[in-house]
């Protein structure tokens, strides 16, 4: 999804992807870096820093509302974040959310996953997908199984 969004934005002249780093590129940190105080799930936006002669930097808003910026090459592991999985969105809130359902039903689509997606939206959510897959998902609950019971007593789930 991120590649498709970047392609569309470039085609429309809204971003300049002549390099890996470009103004407007959103990134999500995927590995904690305690020295920089950047943590898995933190989202920043790449922009020109006019206080540094237009140098590209990635800006993050801290929990206290302060803004911090870093040179892109200084960031810990990260990825482009126009789109993200529901799992990666946990702990974040967005004004608007678009949930794109897969075109096939799968056991990972559960009521809890849909609930998590919906509760990421502060104001509005759109859900794109087939109605029958959505209905199957909201009827399926997470089934937790560590395998310990089977290992200890030789039971098998049917």
């Amino acid at each position: 999804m991120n590649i498709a969004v970047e392609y569309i934005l470039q085609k429309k002249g809204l971003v300049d992807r002549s390099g890996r780093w470009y103004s407007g590129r959103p990134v999500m940190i995927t590995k904690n870096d305690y020295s920089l105080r950047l943590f898995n799930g933190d989202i920043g936006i790449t922009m020109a820093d006019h206080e540094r002669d237009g140098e590209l930097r990635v800006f993050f808003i801290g929990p206290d509302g302060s803004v911090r910026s870093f040179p892109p090459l200084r960031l810990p592991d990260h990825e482009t974040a126009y789109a993200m999985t529901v799992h990666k969105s946990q702990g974040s809130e967005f004004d608007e959310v678009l949930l794109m359902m897969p075109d096939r039903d799968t056991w990972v689509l559960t009521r809890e996953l849909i609930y998590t997606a919906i509760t990421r939206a502060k104001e509005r959510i759109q859900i794109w997908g087939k109605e029958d897959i959505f209905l199957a998902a909201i009827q399926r609950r997470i089934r937790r199984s560590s395998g310990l019971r089977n290992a200890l007593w030789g039971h098998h789930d049917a």
Side-chain angles (χ1 to χ4, degrees):
M1 290 303 301
N2 285 305
I3 292 168
V5 171
E6 279 184 321
Y7 177 79
I8 292 166
L9 292 174
Q10 177 151 347
K11 280 289 211 197
K12 292 188 176 277
L14 298 172
V15 298
D16 176 10
R17 282 198 62 224
S18 54
R20 179 172 180 216
W21 291 99
Y22 57 87
S23 189
R25 179 183 178 212
V27 296
M28 176 187 282
I29 301 300
T30 58
K31 184 176 182 183
N32 295 338
D33 185 321
Y34 294 95
S35 65
L36 296 178
R37 295 184 343 264
L38 289 173
F39 304 101
N40 186 21
D42 287 351
I43 298 175
I45 184 84
T46 309
M47 296 186 303
D49 187 341
H50 299 295
E51 294 178 3
R52 298 176 193 258
D53 295 325
E55 171 190 336
L56 279 183
R57 294 181 65 91
V58 184
F59 292 81
F60 294 86
I61 297 175
D64 62 354
S66 64
V67 176
R68 300 181 306 135
S69 72
F70 302 90
L73 298 178
R74 186 83 169 89
L75 295 180
D77 293 353
H78 58 276
E79 58 191 39
T80 302
Y82 288 108
M84 67 188 74
T85 64
V86 172
H87 174 75
K88 288 182 180 178
S89 74
Q90 291 186 59
S92 300
E93 281 188 323
F94 305 93
D95 291 339
E96 297 184 32
V97 169
L98 168 60
L99 173 62
M100 297 182 70
M101 302 284 292
D103 59 357
R104 282 177 292 215
D105 192 20
T106 174
W107 63 272
V108 297
L109 291 175
T110 63
R111 168 186 312 191
E112 292 84 358
L113 185 88
I114 301 296
Y115 175 83
T116 299
I118 290 171
T119 58
R120 300 308 92 208
K122 288 192 271 188
E123 296 177 19
R124 188 174 103 163
I125 185 166
Q126 287 187 46
I127 301 173
W128 290 5
K130 297 177 181 175
E131 183 178 0
D132 60 326
I133 293 173
F134 177 78
L135 292 174
I138 62 173
Q139 292 171 16
R140 183 179 300 115
R141 297 190 65 99
I142 289 178
R143 190 167 152 213
R144 304 200 188 277
S145 174
S146 67
L148 182 59
R149 179 176 61 131
N150 295 350
L152 293 175
W153 292 285
H155 292 127
H156 301 284
D157 292 335

